[in-house]
Amino acid sequence: MAKGNPRIGVFVCDCGLNIAGSVDTEAVKDYAATLPDVVVAVRNKYTCSDPGQAEIRRVIGEHNLNRVVIASCSPRLHEPTFRACVQQAGLNPYLMTMANIREHCSWVTLHDREAATRKAQDIVRVAVAQARWLHPQDEEQLPVTDAALVIGGGVAGIQAALDLADAGHQVYLVEKQPSIGGIMAMLDKTYPTMDCSI
Amino acid sequence: MMDAGRHPRIKLLTYSEVEDVSGYVGNFRVRVRKKARYVDENECTACGECVKVCPIVRPDEFQQGLSTRRAIYIPFPQAVPSAYVVDIEACLGDNPIACGKCIEVCDKKCIDFDMRDEIVELNVGAIIVATGMDLYDPTALDEYGYTRFENVITSLEFERLISAGGPTGGHFIRLTDGQPPRRIGFVQCVGSRTNNPVRGNPYCSNICCMNTIKDSLQLKDHYPDIDITVFYMDIRAFGKGFEDLFMRSKAAGVRYVRGLPGEVVEDPQTRNLRVFVENTTAGRIEEYELDMLVLSIGAIPRGDSELVKQLLTLSRTPDGFFMEAHPKLKPVDATTKGVFLAGCAESPKDVKDSVTQASAAAARAEVLLSKSKIQVEATTAVVDAAKCRQCGRCAEVCPFSAIRWEKKQVAQVITAACAGCGTCAAECPFDAIEMRHFSDQAIYAQIDAALERDPLSTIVTFACNWCSYAGADTAGTGRMEYPPNARIIRTMCSGRVDADFVWYAFQKGAPVVLVSGCHYADCHYINANRNTVRRVDALWEGLEKYGVRPERLQLEWCSAAKGQRWAKIMREVEELRVHVTAEEVERTTEVLREAKVPLSSQVWKLKAPTPALLHCLRCGYEWREDYSAEKARSEERMCAACRSNSVRVFI
C-alpha cells in the first residue's frame, strides 16, 4: 500500500448535461463517498472550468487530500488539465487519476439512466482502487533537437517550413517530386483573390 | 515557393522520400532517400540546351499529359530548385552509341550518369506532415464519358488549358478542333458525396464548388460571350468572400442548374456533347448541347498515406485522411506526439485553409522546438535489482532496445530510450519490473474493483491508450450506444497486459475478459503488441487445458478512429457474456485457483510453416492455412467472416 493512509477526494462532473443528462451524478457522488479511503466527494457542473478547478484546489487543502479522482471525460482530453490543477494545490500530478464517465459511459448509454449511473459508479470505484496505488513520480527532462522535418512541399508544407524557418528554426523540407509546389503549382488562378498560384 | 528555395534555414530535399523514422517527440531520427536526378542541381542553370537534343518524348505529367516533355526535363518553368532531372526509366542512357547527347551539349558539365541515390540522416525535434491529396479519377463514372469523349476534361486539365504556362499558352480551346468553346458545362461533386464506393466518396471535397465558380469567372474574362452551365446538387460557398464570388458569377450570366447529368453523348460529326439532366428545381428533364464539359473532380487521400501512417504511427479517419489528436481542440496535432498535420493530408482544403493550417502546425511545432528541454511522462520501466534473476527476457521483448542486459547481469533500463509500453514488465517471470504510474498493484486493484459488484455482468476489459481506449472515446464522441457491461482498465500498450492479470480476472470470477489494442501496423511501440498475441495464445491453450472455454478470453484490435468497430466489439462480447452462467464461473474459479499461469504457446514455437486450422472464437468460422511463429509475428490474424481478431490456431 502507498505511503501514509490514502486520503482520496472524488470530483464528479456533470459536464453540463453531457454527463448529467444520462447519469445521476448525485448518486455517483453519494456512492463515491462510501468507498474506502474516500474522505470527500464533490459534484460540480463543469469541473474543468476555473471555478471547478478552484474548488478542487480548495478541497485538496481543506481535507488534506493525497489522492484525487476526477470523474469526468477521457484522460486523453483533460489529463494534462487536471494534472496541472492538482500540482497547483501542491500535489504531485501523478497522484491524480481520471474516471472516464463521459466518452465511456454517459455518451454510450443514453437511454438507460439506471444502467448508466451504475456503470459510472463502477468506473469511479475502479479509479478509486487505482488511486490507492498511485505514487508520486518525477518527470524526466529530455533535450529537444531544434530542427523540424516537413514532409511534402505543396502549399501547406512550404508555408509551415517558411514560418518555422522565419522563427529561427532549422527546417528540412522533403518533397517526393523533383520540384516543390504540389497541386497548387498546377493551378492557374486561385480563389478568392483570383490571382496566380505560384 | 522561391522564398522556401532561398531561405538560409530551409534545406530542400526534393526528389526525396522519407524511408524510416525512429525516436520520439523532441528527438526523432529520420532517414531520407534522395533519389539520383542525374543532374547536379546546384550547377544546373536551367539553360535548356539538353532538352533540345534529347530524342525521347514522354507525356508531360505537370501538363496532365496534354503536352509532352523529354527524358531530361524541368517539371515547370518556375520549378524550385530550378534544375533539370533525368527520367532514367525513359532515358537511353550514357552509352555513346545509344545516346549521351545531353552530356555533350551541357556547358556546365552537370549531367552525371554515375549519380547514385543518397541516404540522408536527419535529427529533428518535430515533424510536420503536409503530404497533400490525390484527385479522384472519374473513369468509373462512365455516364460522363471522360474516357470516351475528348471534350470531356477534368477540372485540373481545365487549369492547365487556361494557364499561360500551359500547353496552349493560356488560349483556352477545345482539344478536338483547337477552337474556343462557345458553350461549356461543369459537373459538380464528381467522386464526392456518394454512398456508392464505386462512384466515389461520401464526404464533400470542400474545394470544387468554389473552384468551378472561379473557373466560370476566368472563362467570362477570356470570352465574355461564352455560355456557361453548372450542374450541381448544392453550391457550398461558405467561406469569407465566397458568396460574393458566387453572386458575381451569377451576375455574369452563368447558369446554375440543380441536378447532375444522367447521360452525356457525343455527336461524332461536330464532337459536341449532348447532356441530359433532371433539373430538380424545375422538375423536368432538360437537354443541353455543349462544346466542352468539365468534371469537377473531388479530393481523395494520397495513395501513399498508408506508408506515411506506418512510418509515423498515425491514424486515419474513415475517409482515409490523417486523424487529428482532437477534432476541435487539437486540430493540427497528430495522434503521435511531436507530429503535426498541415493541408490536405488532414482533409481536403483550399489554398487559404491549407496556409492557415500550415501556420497553425508551425506554431504548434514551435511550442515544442522553442524549449531546450521537454518533460516526458513518468511512465517508464524500473527494474527491482533484488528481484531480478538476470534472465534477460525483458531485453528480448523491448521494442526500443531500452534495456541493457548481459549474462549474469541485472537488467538496466535506459530511461531516455524507454517509451513506457510495459511489455517488459508483463514478460518478467519474477515480477522484477515495475511500470511507473501503471504498477501491477494498481492494475490488480482495478481488476478487484471491477469485479466487486455483480461480477457475472462484468466484462473485464484491457484497452491500450493509443488505439482501443481512444476508439472507445470515439464511440462516445459519436454517441454510438452499446451494452454497459465493460469495465475498462487503461494501459499504455496491450503489451502491458500480463498473462497474470487475465488469469487473476478469471480466478476472481470474470465471465469474459477482453484484451484490446492497436492493429499490427498501428502499434505505438513498434511491435510490442505481438507479445500480447503470444500471451493470449498461451492463455487460450491454458484455459482449454483446465476445461475453461477459451472464447471467454477475447482479443480485439481497434484503431482510434473506429468508434463503430468498438461499439460492435462491445455488442458481440456482451453476446458471449450473457451465455456464461454463474455455475460456469464458479467452476472456473475453482479449477484455476491453484493452476499455474500458462506462459508458452505451441503456435509461437513453430519454426517452419505448418498446416494449421484457424478457428474464430467469436463466430466459429474455420479455415486452413500454413502457419508459423514468423507469420504470427508479421501478420495480424483476422476472421474473414466476422472480422474478429480472436482467432485461435490449432496445429
Side-chain angles (χ1 to χ4, degrees):
Chain A
M1 186 70 64
K3 267 182 234 156
N5 283 336
R7 295 182 59 80
I8 304 173
V10 179
F11 297 85
V12 181
C13 183
D14 282 359
C15 196
L17 286 175
N18 282 305
I19 295 169
S22 35
V23 167
D24 181 348
T25 45
E26 191 62 23
V28 175
K29 185 205 80 179
D30 291 344
Y31 177 76
T34 66
L35 294 168
D37 298 327
V38 172
V39 292
V40 59
V42 177
R43 183 181 147 212
N44 211 307
K45 193 159 188 178
Y46 290 105
T47 311
C48 62
S49 67
D50 268 354
Q53 292 194 43
E55 181 157 34
I56 294 172
R57 291 194 295 267
R58 184 180 59 76
V59 173
I60 289 174
E62 213 171 277
H63 292 266
N64 195 22
L65 301 180
N66 56 19
R67 302 286 187 284
V68 169
V69 173
I70 315 264
S72 58
C73 50
S74 171
R76 291 175 50 84
L77 184 68
H78 268 323
E79 191 175 66
T81 313
F82 293 119
R83 276 189 179 171
C85 170
V86 302
Q87 194 165 23
Q88 281 167 4
L91 270 190
N92 182 287
Y94 287 81
L95 297 175
M96 185 283 302
T97 190
M98 294 181 73
N100 185 344
I101 60 167
R102 192 178 75 171
E103 283 84 345
H104 290 187
C105 183
S106 70
W107 278 351
V108 291
T109 312
L110 293 162
H111 300 102
D112 185 345
R113 200 170 174 79
E114 200 180 316
T117 304
R118 206 175 158 73
K119 182 175 182 182
Q121 289 173 338
D122 283 0
I123 293 173
V124 168
R125 188 179 63 241
V126 170
V128 166
Q130 180 198 18
R132 284 193 209 108
W133 290 98
L134 294 178
H135 302 282
Q137 306 287 352
D138 290 324
E139 291 190 340
E140 190 145 347
Q141 302 236 327
L142 287 179
V144 177
T145 311
D146 186 8
L149 167 71
V150 178
I151 311 175
V155 58
I158 292 171
Q159 181 68 43
L162 282 172
D163 282 358
L164 281 170
D166 283 344
H169 306 286
Q170 173 65 43
V171 179
Y172 302 98
L173 177 54
V174 174
E175 167 57 50
K176 201 172 193 172
Q177 298 298 323
S179 169
I180 57 171
I183 291 178
M184 177 202 64
M186 294 183 185
L187 307 178
D188 179 44
K189 301 254 188 314
T190 55
Y191 65 85
T193 46
M194 307 296 288
D195 56 1
C196 79
S197 66
I198 296 183
Chain B
M1 269 175 64
M2 314 301 151
D3 293 346
R6 275 197 297 262
H7 203 293
R9 277 187 295 275
I10 298 179
K11 167 107 177 116
L12 274 190
L13 293 162
T14 51
Y15 214 35
S16 302
E17 286 177 43
V18 175
E19 282 196 336
D20 187 48
V21 179
S22 58
Y24 42 87
V25 54
N27 300 275
F28 293 105
R29 282 182 303 282
V30 183
R31 191 173 74 228
V32 179
R33 176 177 294 271
K34 192 166 170 26
K35 287 180 282 184
R37 56 194 298 156
Y38 303 100
V39 175
D40 184 334
E41 61 187 274
N42 300 313
E43 291 296 317
C44 175
T45 57
C47 67
E49 291 300 319
C50 51
V51 174
K52 290 180 192 161
V53 297
C54 179
I56 302 295
V57 178
R58 283 286 176 275
D60 186 334
E61 298 87 352
F62 184 78
Q63 306 290 8
Q64 295 293 294
L66 296 170
S67 63
T68 56
R69 61 163 172 82
R70 300 296 161 135
I72 188 163
Y73 69 106
I74 190 163
F76 50 100
Q78 308 95 320
V80 176
S82 184
Y84 281 67
V85 56
V86 175
D87 176 354
I88 203 71
E89 303 282 308
C91 175
L92 295 174
D94 185 18
N95 184 337
I97 302 164
C99 188
K101 292 193 176 74
C102 54
I103 302 174
E104 288 165 26
V105 298
C106 180
D107 278 347
K108 301 282 285 185
K109 301 283 172 237
C110 53
I111 300 169
D112 174 11
F113 279 96
D114 292 330
M115 205 181 261
R116 290 287 167 265
D117 289 3
E118 200 185 319
I119 299 296
V120 185
E121 302 271 354
L122 305 172
N123 289 307
V124 296
I127 298 175
I128 292 179
V129 177
T131 44
M133 62 180 191
D134 281 340
L135 290 161
Y136 179 74
D137 176 355
T139 303
L141 304 184
D142 193 53
E143 70 271 29
Y144 299 144
Y146 176 68
T147 50
R148 289 176 285 136
F149 314 137
E150 229 177 312
N151 288 325
V152 178
I153 61 170
T154 68
S155 40
L156 197 58
E157 287 163 348
F158 174 94
E159 294 293 337
R160 298 321 303 153
L161 281 176
I162 204 162
S163 169
T168 56
H171 300 291
F172 188 78
I173 49 166
R174 262 168 43 126
L175 293 170
T176 47
D177 54 13
Q179 295 303 309
R182 289 175 298 112
R183 299 158 303 183
I184 189 168
F186 287 85
V187 182
Q188 295 307 109
C189 295
V190 176
S192 305
R193 299 183 67 198
T194 170
N195 285 324
N196 180 346
V198 181
R199 300 177 56 85
N201 295 299
Y203 53 84
C204 166
S205 290
N206 185 317
I207 47 182
C208 337
C209 282
M210 287 313 296
N211 193 60
T212 290
I213 291 168
K214 178 218 64 162
D215 290 349
S216 74
L217 289 167
Q218 262 189 291
L219 280 172
K220 283 284 181 186
D221 274 351
H222 279 241
Y223 308 120
D225 292 333
I226 193 168
D227 180 85
I228 305 174
T229 311
V230 177
F231 304 103
Y232 72 98
M233 44 173 140
D234 294 297
I235 291 292
R236 297 185 163 175
F238 52 88
K240 187 171 179 173
F242 289 6
E243 187 71 10
D244 285 350
L245 281 184
F246 183 35
M247 290 301 139
R248 258 172 68 191
S249 169
K250 277 183 155 176
V254 177
R255 186 185 305 111
Y256 284 84
V257 174
R258 193 172 194 279
L260 297 181
E263 193 184 5
V264 177
V265 291
E266 186 188 54
D267 181 327
Q269 241 70 66
T270 60
R271 310 295 294 270
N272 288 350
L273 304 159
R274 279 176 39 227
V275 174
F276 299 89
V277 61
E278 182 191 354
N279 182 331
T280 57
T281 313
R284 60 170 179 255
I285 306 291
E286 293 178 347
E287 183 186 336
Y288 292 84
E289 186 168 342
L290 303 172
D291 303 325
M292 275 180 102
L293 189 63
V294 182
L295 304 182
S296 201
I297 47 176
I300 56 169
R302 272 193 61 94
D304 55 11
S305 299
E306 194 55 32
L307 185 70
V308 177
K309 175 188 137 174
Q310 288 178 21
L311 280 173
L312 296 165
T313 55
L314 304 177
S315 298
R316 292 164 76 184
T317 36
D319 56 16
F321 292 94
F322 292 123
M323 182 170 151
E324 59 281 46
H326 189 276
K328 210 166 58 184
L329 302 174
K330 285 188 179 171
V332 301
D333 290 35
T335 41
T336 303
K337 275 190 179 172
V339 180
F340 307 92
L341 306 173
C344 300
E346 183 261 338
S347 68
K349 49 179 73 71
D350 62 16
V351 173
K352 179 190 170 181
D353 284 354
S354 293
V355 168
T356 308
Q357 198 183 27
S359 287
R364 293 289 296 158
E366 167 138 56
V367 170
L368 179 64
L369 297 182
S370 56
K371 292 175 189 158
S372 61
K373 289 196 164 168
I374 46 159
Q375 289 193 313
V376 288
E377 269 202 280
T379 53
T380 48
V382 180
V383 177
D384 182 341
K387 284 190 186 169
C388 175
R389 304 268 286 272
Q390 303 150 16
C391 70
R393 288 291 299 137
C394 52
E396 258 171 60
V397 297
C398 176
F400 299 91
S401 309
I403 298 181
R404 205 178 285 141
W405 171 81
E406 273 167 48
K407 267 189 185 155
K408 296 186 183 164
Q409 295 278 315
V410 169
Q412 257 188 317
V413 178
I414 309 159
T415 308
C418 173
C421 65
T423 197
C424 58
E427 193 68 19
C428 178
F430 314 106
D431 291 334
I433 300 184
E434 180 170 304
M435 296 311 295
R436 298 165 75 197
H437 203 54
F438 289 90
S439 66
D440 282 8
Q441 298 100 317
I443 291 171
Y444 284 121
Q446 289 177 80
I447 298 169
D448 280 333
L451 293 167
E452 192 178 311
R453 192 162 81 168
D454 194 10
L456 194 59
S457 330
T458 303
I459 299 160
V460 174
T461 303
F462 295 94
C464 87
N465 180 63
W466 304 104
C467 293
S468 53
Y469 191 95
D473 279 358
T474 306
T477 315
R479 311 296 195 278
M480 299 160 192
E481 289 195 80
Y482 57 75
N485 300 62
R487 298 294 173 264
I488 293 180
I489 297 169
R490 181 171 73 120
T491 56
M492 292 310 282
C493 176
S494 64
R496 172 73 184 99
V497 181
D498 198 319
D500 294 351
F501 299 161
V502 176
W503 209 246
Y504 183 77
F506 282 124
Q507 286 172 332
K508 288 287 173 172
V512 173
V513 176
L514 167 64
V515 177
S516 67
C518 302
H519 286 287
Y520 266 26
D522 299 349
C523 181
H524 274 62
Y525 302 96
I526 304 174
N527 52 14
N529 64 355
R530 292 3 174 221
N531 298 303
T532 315
V533 182
R534 180 169 45 80
R535 291 176 196 131
V536 168
D537 274 331
L539 283 161
W540 278 332
E541 288 171 26
L543 288 170
E544 187 167 58
K545 192 176 126 194
Y546 289 103
V548 178
R549 286 190 295 141
E551 56 266 39
R552 286 173 55 195
L553 169 60
Q554 292 280 312
L555 173 72
E556 287 302 332
W557 309 134
C558 176
S559 71
K562 295 284 165 64
Q564 291 282 15
R565 178 168 167 83
W566 183 259
K568 175 175 177 273
I569 293 168
M570 288 290 106
R571 281 191 291 271
E572 291 177 359
V573 176
E574 168 64 4
E575 191 56 33
L576 284 170
R577 185 205 62 81
V578 294
H579 291 104
V580 181
T581 61
E583 295 72 41
E584 189 179 357
V585 168
E586 204 176 318
R587 259 198 325 274
T588 305
T589 52
E590 227 152 85
V591 295
L592 296 189
R593 190 169 296 147
E594 301 297 328
K596 241 181 106 193
V597 182
L599 293 175
S600 71
S601 151
Q602 295 294 324
V603 183
W604 291 75
K605 288 176 187 158
L606 292 174
K607 288 207 174 72
T610 308
L613 175 74
L614 278 77
H615 173 89
C616 175
L617 290 175
R618 178 72 53 78
C619 73
Y621 181 74
E622 288 188 339
W623 69 99
R624 285 179 190 282
E625 62 181 61
D626 286 349
Y627 213 80
S628 64
E630 180 47 37
K631 196 164 189 176
R633 250 188 300 275
S634 58
E635 277 178 38
E636 183 175 306
R637 263 178 251 161
M638 191 181 75
C639 170
C642 74
R643 305 182 71 80
S644 167
N645 303 109
S646 297
V647 175
R648 240 192 111 180
V649 180
F650 292 93
I651 309 146

